[in-house]
Amino acid sequence: MDRDSGPRVPEQRAPEHSGVVDLRFSVLGPVRAWRGGESLPSGSPQQRALLAALLLRDGRTATASELIDAIWGEAPPSQALAAVRTYASRLRKVLSASALVSESGGYAIRVRRDALDLAVAQELATEAEKSRAAGDRCNARALINKSLGLWDGEPLANVPGPYAENQRARLEEWRLQLLEAGLDLDLEVGCHAEAVSELTALTAAHPLRERLRELLMLALYRSGRQAEALAVYADTRRLLADELGVDPRPELSTLQQRILQADAELARPSEEPAPSPQVTRPAQLPATVPDFTGRASFVRELRDQLATAEGSVMAVSALAGIGGVGKTTLAVHVAHEARPHFPDGQLYVDLQGAGNRAADPETVLGAFLRALGVADSAIPDSLDERAALFRSMLDGRRVLVLLDNARDAAQIRPLLPGTAGCAALITSRVRMVDLAGAHLVDLDVMSPEEALQLFTRIVGKERVTSEREAALDVVAACGFLPLAIRIAASRLAARRTWTVSVLAAKLADERRRLDELQAGDLAVKATFELGYGQLEPAQARAFRLLGLADGPDISLAAAAAVLDLSPQDTEDLLEALVDTSLVESAAPGRYRYHDLVRLYARACAERDEHPQVERELALSRLLDFYLATAAKVYAIERPCDRLVDHLEPTGQAGLALTDREEAQDWFYAEAHCLLACARQAAGGARLRAAVDLLWVAQDLAESGANSKVYESVALAALDAARAAGDTRTEGRVRTSLTNVHMVAGRYEQADEEAKQAAVLALAAQDPVPVYWSDNDRGIIAFIQGRNEEAEAHLRRAREGSRADGNLPGEASALCTFSRIHVAMGRTEQGIALAEQGIAIYDRIGHTLRLANAQYALGVALTQAGRHTEALEQLAQALDRFEENRQRLWEGTTHFRIAQAHLAARRPARAAQSAEQALAIGCMGGDRTRANVLVTLGKALDSLGQPDRARACWREALLLQEQTGAPEAQEVRELLTPLTGAA
């Protein structure tokens, strides 16, 4: 807070006496006064004590003797009364006579109640209680946060006297009560994972406060850390016995028993049945079509089935039928009609089951949980845990889940609610006979009457009435398939010069229709042909070529590269395709194909694109666009890095990016499309460019969000390179895989990949993978404790970087050298080497890897005992990692901050930082997680919580034994004395 601007008190409109109205005061911190934005002098400590005593009386008069007792207690000076009068006179001059009044031999401050920060804080707390009582917990938590936000350090800071001392204790106790109330609300709204870090710090600061211990136990239990929760109880019981000679209060003992019994009710607040008191009510249903026609019996059947969810069962209905039969349209329409039965919300997802890459249930559950109000940090990693949390979130609520375009029953089982009151509506091209308990509905084509009615609603009654027979011919030629009828009618409606007979004549030509119109998904092809046949040549070319790309959608800039046109011309073509419903507008500047339309577009490309090489050229231009733009992003983030000079040449300039934030926005927005392009190109003639795209997009492997997809694409590229016998390309893709394995903590695999990459690169005379390999192997050797071998690798990496003129590579080697020297006890040399690395990064303006250098320096300074400097460097590194969206590096830096705090004998701060590292995740996978748990355990042990410490160490030891980490012996030694004592 800006100390010159006054406390954060809402501004009010001034009534009559502006001098009084403009006054504002703070006691929730230093005692201060303002008039408007001007800070007023409050005088000596005793004068501030007088001001505080008057402010805290809420306008009531304080006698002179009361003020003397407040300021000096039982030993006032001989001139105390004169001093009080002097202080009051001075304050009156500063504040105004109308603000500080004299009456009945005493004094009072008469200002608006909301002029005092304490009064505002109390009002906010009162409103929070009302909101909580009304069930609005989110608003209650926000109000408590506002109230706590008015604190600015210790209340009545540096104010002398017994009155101030008593009031300080009272206010501090109230602040703790507010914190407890806020944390209690956090647990009720499902933010238990976030609460652990704050509760760990608070219990360390207030070890005898049992309510905080109770909340910490509950937060740990709900975060899946049952052993630690029980350890907190054991630590509390021991502490209370040692310090006070008492047992924990009954509430704490009862909670321990419920945790031991794995009481399911602990997963939600006891006072209400819903697992999450969030007021979030998702409403994700797509819009229903205004011209929905027919299907009355199906609508009635499905609506009645969904209504049974209000009883004692969980209703599941599955619609099956060929593509284009109207499954989604019917499901959405029924879902909208059923909304009154599901007041707690409706969830929707397109599972993309008809394509080659159906939606991953794990990803879908993550999106559903976020829609239900679960914070990202509270979403588990595994599919089973996400599914269990999803079912828990829906327990006691009435929610409809619409799962559209499912691949099979296995895909949707984890996505089903588990309790009565909820329902699932599923559409799929396959009949889900293996979905237990599902109400199956086979959706056939429309009846002739329904088909004609739908056609009439779209085209217009006047045009159809005069040509009824021709209209019947049209819907019959469409096979009474709703999607085919809709597309045909829409094209006719858009062409006022056509008659229905013209359209019927076109459809009568069997050469333009498939002979087996009802044979599976190909039934839609004739209707797509109708729309495609009406496109202008340039539109048809765009439709064919853009459908070749594998990504989930495509940006305007990428589409322009595919078509080899300007963005303006490309946009005109795409918007024309949107108008014909052959392409969807996914978002401003982004376009996508329905899965069936994409398949049709590719069939058109095979049939109509001449010469055929144009298909390969289109995809090649897309690859060049992504490679050129990704290289620019890399160059912006890593100035002077020579990698971009060793990439395959491109025929596209890519986007003109100059700003780092703009570059990162593009990079992460295009991540899925970029990786899809690399995967698609890896199987063709542009394998080298595809592998270079992976190499230059290596940050996707380190971001956490895209790591798994990146790895799968890299493995596919490796197979392609080996099949092609391309030594150079295989060496480069193995360099990318080295980084993938290092991020995941698979160091043996990473070392083997790096070793093979170097051998292949040497054979191909490709210098960059050689010194990259040495750098990576040096890091791996250091992590595994092979320091001499690490130094040898890093010397070669530094020499290779120098020979290539790659300053960032040299700086990276220096930073790892620093870590080795620190590990070998040569701390001052380690500090000097890290500072050399920072100097290089500073000189070239490198932002991302400067964070790595500051990280290395922070580690070295911690080892040297220079903890304040270490924390400064690590804080700067953390800021840079956050700016560059390197989530895993953020978590790793929190771990190092925890180590620095622990070395500085600040275990409470260390525990808080370690909890943040666990919540975010770290580079190095389970191996680093184990090290974080070890540090957390040491911090907790220092805080007098040995049982919880032991729980952390046991989990760490399990992870270390699984990964073969040499640090396991240290953890065994930590556990041994505790085991013996037990």
Side-chain angles (χ1 to χ4, degrees), residues 634-635 638-646 698 768 771-772 804-809 844 846 849:
Y634 187 96
R638 297 172 173 81
C640 296
D641 193 311
R642 288 293 312 285
L643 172 60
V644 295
D645 299 320
H646 295 274
Q698 63 176 335
V768 180
Y771 63 78
W772 274 51
D804 195 31
N806 194 337
L807 287 173
I844 63 179
H846 207 306
R849 292 311 171 200

Side-chain angles (χ1 to χ4, degrees), residues 741-964:
H741 292 311
M742 289 175 68
V743 169
R746 300 188 293 262
Y747 296 114
E748 289 76 12
Q749 291 172 263
D751 192 54
E752 182 60 29
E753 291 288 1
K755 181 179 178 181
Q756 293 189 45
V759 171
L760 292 163
L762 283 169
Q765 297 183 338
D766 190 14
V768 180
V770 176
Y771 63 78
W772 274 51
S773 170
D774 274 316
N775 189 69
D776 290 339
R777 296 192 73 193
I779 294 170
I780 295 165
F782 161 67
I783 290 171
Q784 295 180 331
R786 297 179 280 114
N787 292 328
E788 291 184 2
E789 185 179 337
E791 286 185 307
H793 280 301
L794 291 169
R795 277 193 293 270
R796 290 194 292 271
R798 189 177 180 187
E799 291 167 1
S801 296
R802 281 179 171 173
D804 195 31
N806 194 337
L807 287 173
E810 184 178 351
S812 176
L814 286 170
C815 293
T816 310
F817 265 126
S818 165
R819 301 282 305 282
I820 293 172
H821 281 281
V822 170
M824 298 178 72
R826 301 191 292 265
T827 307
E828 292 304 318
Q829 292 172 271
I831 292 172
L833 287 166
E835 288 173 339
Q836 290 178 41
I838 288 176
I840 292 175
Y841 286 132
D842 275 335
R843 186 165 73 248
I844 63 179
H846 207 306
T847 57
L848 175 56
R849 292 311 171 200
L850 175 58
N852 293 95
Q854 290 170 325
Y855 171 93
L857 181 55
V859 172
L861 290 168
T862 300
Q863 189 67 24
R866 294 159 61 179
H867 305 125
T868 301
E869 297 171 75
L871 287 167
E872 288 176 357
Q873 291 296 325
L874 291 169
Q876 292 179 42
L878 181 62
D879 289 342
R880 293 185 186 278
F881 284 132
E882 289 175 348
E883 289 171 4
N884 288 277
R885 310 179 198 186
Q886 293 297 299
R887 188 71 171 157
L888 296 179
W889 272 112
E890 286 179 44
T892 309
T893 307
H894 277 298
F895 163 49
R896 295 301 183 182
I897 290 173
Q899 288 187 317
H901 280 305
L902 188 62
R905 298 183 180 179
R906 291 192 286 265
R909 299 287 298 277
Q912 189 173 15
S913 295
E915 287 285 4
Q916 288 177 288
L918 291 174
I920 294 172
C922 297
M923 299 287 290
D926 285 344
R927 180 164 176 169
T928 305
R929 179 178 176 83
N931 292 335
V932 177
L933 286 165
V934 172
T935 299
L936 176 58
K938 290 178 179 178
L940 294 170
D941 194 37
S942 297
L943 291 169
Q945 302 179 37
D947 287 278
R948 188 177 167 200
R950 177 162 43 185
C952 292
W953 291 335
R954 282 174 174 163
E955 184 181 349
L957 181 60
L958 178 63
L959 293 172
Q960 289 169 340
E961 288 176 343
Q962 290 173 347
T963 59

Side-chain angles (χ1 to χ4, degrees), residues 70 110 121 204 281 283 522 558 669 881 924:
R110 301 285 167 77
R281 294 181 178 87
L522 292 178
F881 284 132

Side-chain angles (χ1 to χ4, degrees), residues 53 107 120 279 282 285 390 468 500 611 757 806 817 851 864 898 948 981:
Y107 302 94
V120 176
V279 296
L285 294 179
F390 176 64
R468 178 178 173 81
V500 180
N806 194 337
F817 265 126
R948 188 177 167 200

